Amino acid sequence: MHVDNAINPEPIQAQTFFGGDVNGPMVMVNLLTFKEKAEYLDGRDPDLSGREAYMRYGAAVTECLKQVGGRALFGAEVTGLMLGQVEELWDMVALAYYP
């Protein structure tokens, strides 16, 4: 299995995903890999770890989810892989429910 991690979907991916026939609740699976240090374009918080930066982001996303009736379902460290193979394990997995 080859995995390409990305932060933002390609336009055609988003169009295909959101333009499909399925119209209802969904759960998004986030496979997360953190940089050692956060990288902000404006140079702020140079000592912040990538994990710490994601936790800030996650708190903000949790509030946004609440506004649309969604919620964070699950988040945990990835400690191993039972099936399949990847070159490098993700650091964390998070599930988010969207109505």
Side-chain angles (χ1 to χ4, degrees), residues 6-60:
I7 295 173
N8 297 306
E10 295 294 325
I12 190 70
Q13 287 176 308
Q15 185 178 20
T16 301
F17 184 85
F18 291 111
D21 293 335
V22 178
N23 187 14
M26 68 172 216
V27 174
M28 181 180 288
V29 178
N30 297 276
L31 301 171
L32 306 165
T33 300
F34 304 120
K35 293 181 179 182
E36 185 176 327
K37 293 288 182 183
E39 297 175 9
Y40 291 104
L41 293 176
D42 62 7
R44 68 186 144 133
D45 296 328
D47 295 325
L48 193 69
S49 73
R51 180 180 302 275
E52 291 167 325
Y54 181 79
M55 293 304 147
R56 284 183 181 178
Y57 165 80

Side-chain angles (χ1 to χ4, degrees), residues 29-94:
V29 178
N30 297 276
L31 301 171
L32 306 165
T33 300
F34 304 120
K35 293 181 179 182
E36 185 176 327
K37 293 288 182 183
E39 297 175 9
Y40 291 104
L41 293 176
D42 62 7
R44 68 186 144 133
D45 296 328
D47 295 325
L48 193 69
S49 73
R51 180 180 302 275
E52 291 167 325
Y54 181 79
M55 293 304 147
R56 284 183 181 178
Y57 165 80
V61 167
T62 298
E63 290 305 311
C64 291
L65 282 169
K66 287 179 186 176
Q67 292 177 16
V68 298
R71 65 187 180 278
L73 293 177
F74 177 81
E77 302 290 318
V78 174
T79 59
L81 189 65
M82 180 180 263
L83 297 171
Q85 296 178 3
V86 293
E87 292 175 5
E88 186 175 335
L89 282 179
W90 299 277
D91 295 316
M92 187 176 178
V93 61

